[in-house]
Amino acid sequence: MSSDADTIVYLLNVATLLYKTFGLFIIVVSTIGNICNCFVFLCIRSLNKHPNALFVIGSSIGSLLYINIGLFSPIISVFSQFNPINRWLFWCKISAWLYYSAGCFSYICICFSALDQFLLTLPKIKWQRLITRIRAQFMILFTAIIWLIIFLPLLIFANHIQTSATTFTCTISVPIISVYSTYWIIIGYYFLPIILILILFCLTRYNLKQFLRRRRNLESAMVRVMLIQMSVILISGIPTSICIIYSLATKYSTKTYLSSVYESVIFLAFVLFTFFTNGISFWVYLFASKMFRKHIKDSISKLKLFKNRLTIFSTSSTTRINVLH
Protein backbone atom coordinates (compact mmCIF):
# COMPACT_ATOMS: atom_id res chain seq x y z
CA MET A 1 0.00 0.00 0.00
CA SER A 2 2.80 2.39 0.90
CA SER A 3 4.50 1.75 -2.45
CA ASP A 4 1.22 2.53 -4.26
CA ALA A 5 0.86 5.74 -2.27
CA ASP A 6 4.43 6.76 -3.12
CA THR A 7 3.78 6.04 -6.80
CA ILE A 8 0.61 8.13 -6.73
CA VAL A 9 2.45 11.05 -5.10
CA TYR A 10 5.23 10.72 -7.69
CA LEU A 11 2.76 10.72 -10.60
CA LEU A 12 0.93 13.77 -9.23
CA ASN A 13 4.27 15.56 -8.94
CA VAL A 14 5.02 14.63 -12.57
CA ALA A 15 1.68 16.13 -13.63
CA THR A 16 2.46 19.32 -11.70
CA LEU A 17 5.91 19.49 -13.28
CA LEU A 18 4.40 19.06 -16.76
CA TYR A 19 2.16 22.06 -16.17
CA LYS A 20 4.97 24.18 -14.73
CA THR A 21 7.46 23.48 -17.51
CA PHE A 22 5.91 22.17 -20.71
CA GLY A 23 2.56 23.90 -20.16
CA LEU A 24 4.16 27.29 -19.56
CA PHE A 25 6.48 26.77 -22.53
CA ILE A 26 3.48 25.97 -24.77
CA ILE A 27 1.66 29.15 -23.74
CA VAL A 28 4.70 31.34 -24.49
CA VAL A 29 5.63 29.69 -27.82
CA SER A 30 2.07 29.36 -29.14
CA THR A 31 1.02 32.86 -28.08
CA ILE A 32 4.03 34.43 -29.80
CA GLY A 33 3.52 32.26 -32.88
CA ASN A 34 -0.22 32.92 -33.21
CA ILE A 35 0.19 36.67 -32.72
CA CYS A 36 2.98 36.70 -35.30
CA ASN A 37 0.75 34.78 -37.71
CA CYS A 38 -2.00 37.38 -37.36
CA PHE A 39 0.46 40.27 -37.74
CA VAL A 40 2.31 38.76 -40.73
CA PHE A 41 -0.77 37.72 -42.72
CA LEU A 42 -2.54 41.01 -41.98
CA CYS A 43 0.28 43.48 -42.56
CA ILE A 44 2.54 41.98 -45.23
CA ARG A 45 0.86 42.73 -48.53
CA SER A 46 2.53 39.92 -50.45
CA LEU A 47 1.11 37.38 -47.98
CA ASN A 48 -2.42 38.74 -47.47
CA LYS A 49 -3.42 39.07 -51.12
CA HIS A 50 -4.94 35.60 -51.27
CA PRO A 51 -8.01 34.44 -49.25
CA ASN A 52 -5.85 31.67 -47.75
CA ALA A 53 -4.40 34.33 -45.41
CA LEU A 54 -7.82 34.74 -43.80
CA PHE A 55 -7.94 31.02 -42.98
CA VAL A 56 -4.50 31.21 -41.39
CA ILE A 57 -5.58 34.20 -39.30
CA GLY A 58 -8.80 32.45 -38.27
CA SER A 59 -6.90 29.30 -37.29
CA SER A 60 -4.40 31.36 -35.29
CA ILE A 61 -7.13 33.20 -33.37
CA GLY A 62 -8.88 29.91 -32.59
CA SER A 63 -5.60 28.33 -31.51
CA LEU A 64 -4.77 31.33 -29.32
CA LEU A 65 -8.10 31.04 -27.48
CA TYR A 66 -8.03 27.25 -27.28
CA ILE A 67 -4.54 26.97 -25.80
CA ASN A 68 -4.70 29.91 -23.41
CA ILE A 69 -8.15 29.01 -22.07
CA GLY A 70 -7.15 25.37 -21.70
CA LEU A 71 -3.87 26.04 -19.88
CA PHE A 72 -4.40 29.39 -18.14
CA SER A 73 -6.44 28.16 -15.17
CA PRO A 74 -4.55 24.91 -14.37
CA ILE A 75 -1.15 26.63 -14.58
CA ILE A 76 -2.31 29.42 -12.26
CA SER A 77 -3.67 26.75 -9.93
CA VAL A 78 -0.34 24.90 -9.91
CA PHE A 79 1.67 28.01 -9.10
CA SER A 80 -0.69 29.79 -6.68
CA GLN A 81 -3.33 27.22 -5.59
CA PHE A 82 -5.96 29.55 -7.06
CA ASN A 83 -8.12 28.17 -9.87
CA PRO A 84 -10.29 30.80 -11.62
CA ILE A 85 -12.57 28.11 -13.09
CA ASN A 86 -13.45 26.76 -9.65
CA ARG A 87 -13.74 30.23 -8.12
CA TRP A 88 -15.83 32.16 -10.66
CA LEU A 89 -18.99 30.63 -12.11
CA PHE A 90 -18.94 33.02 -15.07
CA TRP A 91 -15.43 31.91 -16.05
CA CYS A 92 -16.44 28.27 -15.54
CA LYS A 93 -19.24 28.61 -18.11
CA ILE A 94 -17.44 30.82 -20.63
CA SER A 95 -14.17 28.87 -20.60
CA ALA A 96 -15.86 25.51 -21.20
CA TRP A 97 -17.89 26.94 -24.09
CA LEU A 98 -15.06 28.83 -25.79
CA TYR A 99 -12.45 26.14 -25.17
CA TYR A 100 -14.20 23.45 -27.22
CA SER A 101 -15.53 25.87 -29.84
CA ALA A 102 -12.15 27.52 -30.46
CA GLY A 103 -10.34 24.18 -30.75
CA CYS A 104 -12.67 22.80 -33.42
CA PHE A 105 -12.82 26.16 -35.22
CA SER A 106 -9.02 26.32 -35.38
CA TYR A 107 -8.59 22.95 -37.05
CA ILE A 108 -11.49 23.43 -39.47
CA CYS A 109 -9.80 26.65 -40.63
CA ILE A 110 -6.68 24.57 -41.29
CA CYS A 111 -8.87 22.28 -43.41
CA PHE A 112 -10.16 25.31 -45.34
CA SER A 113 -6.56 26.38 -45.94
CA ALA A 114 -5.70 22.92 -47.28
CA LEU A 115 -8.80 23.03 -49.51
CA ASP A 116 -7.73 26.40 -50.87
CA GLN A 117 -4.26 25.06 -51.67
CA PHE A 118 -5.84 22.12 -53.46
CA LEU A 119 -8.03 24.40 -55.59
CA LEU A 120 -4.98 26.46 -56.57
CA THR A 121 -3.40 23.38 -58.14
CA LEU A 122 -6.40 22.63 -60.37
CA PRO A 123 -5.92 23.39 -64.11
CA LYS A 124 -9.08 25.47 -64.56
CA ILE A 125 -8.92 29.10 -63.47
CA LYS A 126 -12.58 29.16 -62.38
CA TRP A 127 -11.77 26.51 -59.74
CA GLN A 128 -8.65 28.37 -58.65
CA ARG A 129 -10.77 31.47 -58.07
CA LEU A 130 -13.64 29.62 -56.41
CA ILE A 131 -12.74 30.85 -52.91
CA THR A 132 -12.76 34.65 -52.88
CA ARG A 133 -12.10 36.88 -49.88
CA ILE A 134 -15.84 37.41 -49.37
CA ARG A 135 -16.50 33.68 -49.49
CA ALA A 136 -13.57 33.02 -47.17
CA GLN A 137 -14.95 35.53 -44.66
CA PHE A 138 -18.36 33.89 -44.87
CA MET A 139 -16.86 30.40 -44.38
CA ILE A 140 -14.93 31.56 -41.32
CA LEU A 141 -17.90 33.37 -39.78
CA PHE A 142 -20.31 30.50 -40.51
CA THR A 143 -17.89 27.94 -39.01
CA ALA A 144 -17.39 29.99 -35.86
CA ILE A 145 -21.17 30.38 -35.36
CA ILE A 146 -21.80 26.67 -35.98
CA TRP A 147 -19.27 25.54 -33.37
CA LEU A 148 -20.49 28.10 -30.84
CA ILE A 149 -24.02 26.75 -31.31
CA ILE A 150 -22.90 23.11 -31.10
CA PHE A 151 -21.16 23.68 -27.77
CA LEU A 152 -23.79 26.08 -26.41
CA PRO A 153 -25.08 23.42 -23.94
CA LEU A 154 -21.76 23.73 -22.11
CA LEU A 155 -22.48 27.40 -21.45
CA ILE A 156 -25.90 26.47 -20.07
CA PHE A 157 -25.10 23.35 -18.04
CA ALA A 158 -21.58 24.12 -16.74
CA ASN A 159 -21.94 24.74 -13.03
CA HIS A 160 -20.17 24.76 -9.68
CA ILE A 161 -20.49 21.79 -7.36
CA GLN A 162 -19.53 22.40 -3.74
CA THR A 163 -16.88 19.91 -2.57
CA SER A 164 -16.32 21.44 0.87
CA ALA A 165 -17.36 24.43 2.95
CA THR A 166 -15.17 26.81 0.95
CA THR A 167 -14.27 25.07 -2.32
CA PHE A 168 -16.15 24.44 -5.56
CA THR A 169 -15.46 22.37 -8.69
CA CYS A 170 -16.51 23.36 -12.19
CA THR A 171 -18.36 20.48 -13.83
CA ILE A 172 -21.20 19.71 -16.25
CA SER A 173 -24.37 19.25 -14.22
CA VAL A 174 -25.97 16.92 -16.80
CA PRO A 175 -23.79 13.84 -17.60
CA ILE A 176 -25.21 13.38 -21.11
CA ILE A 177 -24.00 16.89 -22.04
CA SER A 178 -20.48 15.95 -21.00
CA VAL A 179 -20.58 12.87 -23.24
CA TYR A 180 -22.16 14.95 -26.03
CA SER A 181 -19.33 17.52 -25.95
CA THR A 182 -16.67 14.80 -25.82
CA TYR A 183 -18.04 13.12 -28.95
CA TRP A 184 -18.16 16.44 -30.78
CA ILE A 185 -14.56 17.30 -29.84
CA ILE A 186 -13.47 13.90 -31.19
CA ILE A 187 -15.29 14.62 -34.46
CA GLY A 188 -14.44 18.31 -34.86
CA TYR A 189 -10.92 18.42 -33.43
CA TYR A 190 -9.47 14.99 -34.22
CA PHE A 191 -11.34 12.74 -36.66
CA LEU A 192 -12.70 15.20 -39.24
CA PRO A 193 -9.54 17.38 -39.66
CA ILE A 194 -7.30 14.30 -39.93
CA ILE A 195 -9.43 12.73 -42.66
CA LEU A 196 -9.93 15.96 -44.62
CA ILE A 197 -6.30 17.05 -44.54
CA LEU A 198 -5.11 13.56 -45.49
CA ILE A 199 -7.44 13.49 -48.51
CA LEU A 200 -6.61 17.05 -49.58
CA PHE A 201 -2.89 16.43 -49.21
CA CYS A 202 -3.05 13.39 -51.50
CA LEU A 203 -5.15 15.22 -54.09
CA THR A 204 -2.93 18.32 -54.01
CA ARG A 205 0.22 16.28 -54.43
CA TYR A 206 -1.29 14.45 -57.39
CA ASN A 207 -2.27 17.77 -59.03
CA LEU A 208 1.17 19.21 -58.46
CA LYS A 209 2.79 16.25 -60.18
CA GLN A 210 0.36 16.50 -63.10
CA PHE A 211 0.27 20.23 -63.76
CA LEU A 212 3.34 21.78 -62.14
CA ARG A 213 6.17 19.59 -63.35
CA ARG A 214 8.17 22.58 -64.49
CA ARG A 215 7.84 24.36 -61.15
CA ARG A 216 9.71 22.03 -58.85
CA ASN A 217 10.40 24.70 -56.25
CA LEU A 218 6.71 25.50 -55.83
CA GLU A 219 5.85 21.80 -55.62
CA SER A 220 8.48 21.02 -53.02
CA ALA A 221 7.63 24.07 -50.89
CA MET A 222 3.88 23.44 -50.88
CA VAL A 223 4.21 19.70 -50.33
CA ARG A 224 6.76 20.23 -47.56
CA VAL A 225 4.55 22.63 -45.61
CA MET A 226 1.40 20.53 -46.11
CA LEU A 227 3.25 17.32 -45.21
CA ILE A 228 4.56 18.84 -41.99
CA GLN A 229 1.10 20.20 -41.07
CA MET A 230 -0.56 16.86 -41.79
CA SER A 231 2.11 14.92 -39.89
CA VAL A 232 1.76 17.22 -36.89
CA ILE A 233 -2.02 16.72 -36.77
CA LEU A 234 -1.69 12.96 -37.19
CA ILE A 235 1.07 12.56 -34.61
CA SER A 236 -0.74 14.58 -31.96
CA GLY A 237 -4.37 13.88 -32.83
CA ILE A 238 -4.51 10.10 -33.17
CA PRO A 239 -3.04 9.15 -29.76
CA THR A 240 -5.14 11.73 -27.93
CA SER A 241 -8.34 10.67 -29.67
CA ILE A 242 -7.57 7.04 -28.77
CA CYS A 243 -7.14 8.09 -25.14
CA ILE A 244 -10.47 9.94 -25.20
CA ILE A 245 -12.26 6.94 -26.77
CA TYR A 246 -10.68 4.63 -24.20
CA SER A 247 -11.75 6.96 -21.40
CA LEU A 248 -15.33 6.94 -22.67
CA ALA A 249 -15.36 3.16 -23.12
CA THR A 250 -14.05 2.51 -19.59
CA LYS A 251 -15.87 5.35 -17.87
CA TYR A 252 -18.10 3.07 -15.81
CA SER A 253 -15.48 0.36 -15.27
CA THR A 254 -14.06 -0.28 -11.80
CA LYS A 255 -10.53 1.10 -11.52
CA THR A 256 -8.05 1.48 -8.71
CA TYR A 257 -6.98 4.98 -7.75
CA LEU A 258 -3.45 4.20 -8.95
CA SER A 259 -4.60 3.14 -12.43
CA SER A 260 -6.80 6.27 -12.66
CA VAL A 261 -3.82 8.48 -11.82
CA TYR A 262 -1.67 6.66 -14.39
CA GLU A 263 -4.32 7.25 -17.06
CA SER A 264 -4.72 10.91 -16.07
CA VAL A 265 -0.99 11.62 -16.36
CA ILE A 266 -0.69 9.84 -19.73
CA PHE A 267 -3.75 11.68 -21.02
CA LEU A 268 -2.33 15.00 -19.77
CA ALA A 269 0.92 14.39 -21.66
CA PHE A 270 -0.97 13.70 -24.91
CA VAL A 271 -3.23 16.74 -24.44
CA LEU A 272 -0.24 19.03 -23.81
CA PHE A 273 1.40 17.67 -26.95
CA THR A 274 -1.81 18.44 -28.86
CA PHE A 275 -1.75 22.00 -27.49
CA PHE A 276 1.84 22.33 -28.66
CA THR A 277 1.22 21.08 -32.20
CA ASN A 278 -1.88 23.27 -32.48
CA GLY A 279 0.09 26.44 -31.75
CA ILE A 280 3.22 26.07 -33.88
CA SER A 281 1.89 26.82 -37.38
CA PHE A 282 3.90 30.06 -37.57
CA TRP A 283 7.10 28.22 -36.68
CA VAL A 284 6.27 25.52 -39.24
CA TYR A 285 5.87 28.17 -41.96
CA LEU A 286 9.03 29.91 -40.80
CA PHE A 287 11.28 26.86 -40.88
CA ALA A 288 9.68 24.94 -43.77
CA SER A 289 9.10 27.72 -46.31
CA LYS A 290 11.99 29.74 -47.70
CA MET A 291 9.55 32.07 -49.47
CA PHE A 292 7.77 32.80 -46.18
CA ARG A 293 11.08 33.77 -44.55
CA LYS A 294 11.93 35.96 -47.55
CA HIS A 295 8.64 37.88 -47.28
CA ILE A 296 9.24 38.52 -43.58
CA LYS A 297 12.84 39.64 -44.18
CA ASP A 298 11.72 41.97 -46.97
CA SER A 299 9.03 43.55 -44.80
CA ILE A 300 11.48 44.04 -41.92
CA SER A 301 14.07 45.60 -44.23
CA LYS A 302 11.42 47.95 -45.60
CA LEU A 303 10.54 49.02 -42.07
CA LYS A 304 14.21 49.70 -41.34
CA LEU A 305 14.58 51.63 -44.60
CA PHE A 306 11.48 53.67 -43.75
CA LYS A 307 12.89 54.47 -40.31
CA ASN A 308 16.23 55.50 -41.82
CA ARG A 309 14.44 57.82 -44.25
CA LEU A 310 12.51 59.39 -41.40
CA THR A 311 15.74 59.89 -39.45
CA ILE A 312 17.48 61.50 -42.44
CA PHE A 313 14.44 63.69 -43.11
CA SER A 314 14.22 64.86 -39.50
CA THR A 315 17.98 65.55 -39.40
CA SER A 316 17.92 67.58 -42.63
CA SER A 317 14.87 69.52 -41.44
CA THR A 318 16.61 70.40 -38.17
CA THR A 319 19.71 71.54 -40.07
CA ARG A 320 17.63 73.80 -42.31
CA ILE A 321 15.89 75.34 -39.34
CA ASN A 322 19.25 76.03 -37.64
CA VAL A 323 20.60 77.62 -40.84
CA LEU A 324 17.57 79.87 -41.08
CA HIS A 325 18.05 80.96 -37.51
Side-chain angles (χ1 to χ4, degrees):
M1 291 296 292
S2 60
S3 62
D4 287 351
D6 293 339
T7 305
I8 290 170
V9 172
Y10 173 76
L11 290 173
L12 293 176
N13 288 333
V14 168
T16 302
L17 186 63
L18 282 173
Y19 274 123
K20 285 184 176 180
T21 55
F22 193 38
L24 196 59
F25 170 77
I26 291 169
I27 284 184
V28 173
V29 170
S30 64
T31 300
I32 293 173
N34 286 319
I35 291 174
C36 286
N37 255 350
C38 294
F39 176 78
V40 165
F41 284 95
L42 275 175
C43 300
I44 299 180
R45 185 174 297 178
S46 54
L47 291 176
N48 65 14
K49 289 180 179 179
H50 199 271
N52 188 49
L54 299 177
F55 297 134
V56 176
I57 294 169
S59 174
S60 299
I61 293 173
S63 174
L64 187 67
L65 290 173
Y66 176 71
I67 294 172
N68 283 277
I69 291 174
L71 291 178
F72 176 74
S73 293
I75 287 178
I76 286 181
S77 177
V78 163
F79 279 103
S80 65
Q81 305 301 317
F82 171 78
N83 194 331
I85 289 180
N86 295 334
R87 185 63 63 90
W88 302 319
L89 180 59
F90 173 77
W91 182 242
C92 168
K93 290 178 174 291
I94 290 294
S95 62
W97 182 42
L98 291 180
Y99 170 72
Y100 286 104
S101 302
C104 294
F105 170 75
S106 174
Y107 266 163
I108 295 301
C109 282
I110 293 175
C111 293
F112 287 153
S113 178
L115 173 63
D116 187 61
Q117 289 175 336
F118 162 68
L119 292 175
L120 287 175
T121 60
L122 292 175
K124 294 183 178 180
I125 296 178
K126 68 175 183 178
W127 288 106
Q128 295 177 11
R129 297 176 180 176
L130 184 64
I131 299 180
T132 62
R133 292 187 70 88
I134 298 297
R135 288 173 181 170
Q137 292 171 7
F138 174 78
M139 292 165 67
I140 292 170
L141 182 61
F142 180 75
T143 303
I145 292 173
I146 286 295
W147 286 118
L148 288 172
I149 292 174
I150 287 174
F151 290 108
L152 188 61
L154 293 177
L155 180 66
I156 299 170
F157 294 103
N159 210 340
H160 276 164
I161 292 179
Q162 190 167 1
T163 54
S164 68
T166 56
T167 59
F168 296 86
T169 300
C170 180
T171 187
I172 307 300
S173 57
V174 180
I176 191 65
I177 298 300
S178 179
V179 176
Y180 162 86
S181 60
T182 304
Y183 277 115
W184 269 112
I185 199 72
I186 291 173
I187 294 171
Y189 190 77
Y190 298 110
F191 180 75
L192 188 60
I194 289 172
I195 297 299
L196 289 177
I197 290 179
L198 179 60
I199 293 171
L200 290 169
F201 170 80
C202 294
L203 292 175
T204 303
R205 183 163 185 172
Y206 173 79
N207 287 344
L208 285 169
K209 286 183 177 181
Q210 292 295 318
F211 303 110
L212 300 176
R213 290 183 182 276
R214 296 180 182 178
R215 300 172 68 180
R216 296 286 182 182
N217 292 332
L218 177 61
E219 177 180 351
S220 61
M222 288 185 66
V223 171
R224 190 187 306 119
V225 173
M226 288 188 67
L227 180 61
I228 292 174
Q229 283 184 324
M230 186 192 70
S231 301
V232 162
I233 293 175
L234 289 173
I235 291 171
S236 64
I238 291 176
T240 311
S241 59
I242 291 173
C243 284
I244 293 175
I245 293 170
Y246 170 79
S247 178
L248 286 173
T250 60
K251 185 175 183 179
Y252 299 104
S253 302
T254 303
K255 300 178 185 178
T256 63
Y257 185 58
L258 179 60
S259 63
S260 297
V261 173
Y262 263 118
E263 291 176 8
S264 298
V265 174
I266 293 171
F267 182 66
L268 172 63
F270 281 128
V271 168
L272 288 177
F273 187 56
T274 305
F275 281 137
F276 175 70
T277 54
N278 184 281
I280 60 171
S281 62
F282 172 78
W283 309 109
V284 170
Y285 300 145
L286 190 66
F287 290 109
S289 175
K290 188 179 293 184
M291 189 63 65
F292 185 75
R293 292 194 297 270
K294 183 179 181 300
H295 286 312
I296 293 178
K297 287 180 182 178
D298 291 344
S299 64
I300 292 174
S301 63
K302 286 178 182 178
L303 286 175
K304 288 182 179 179
L305 180 63
F306 182 68
K307 287 182 180 179
N308 291 336
R309 286 180 178 178
L310 283 178
T311 305
I312 294 171
F313 177 76
S314 61
T315 305
S316 61
S317 298
T318 305
T319 305
R320 288 177 183 177
I321 291 172
N322 290 334
V323 170
L324 288 174
H325 282 285

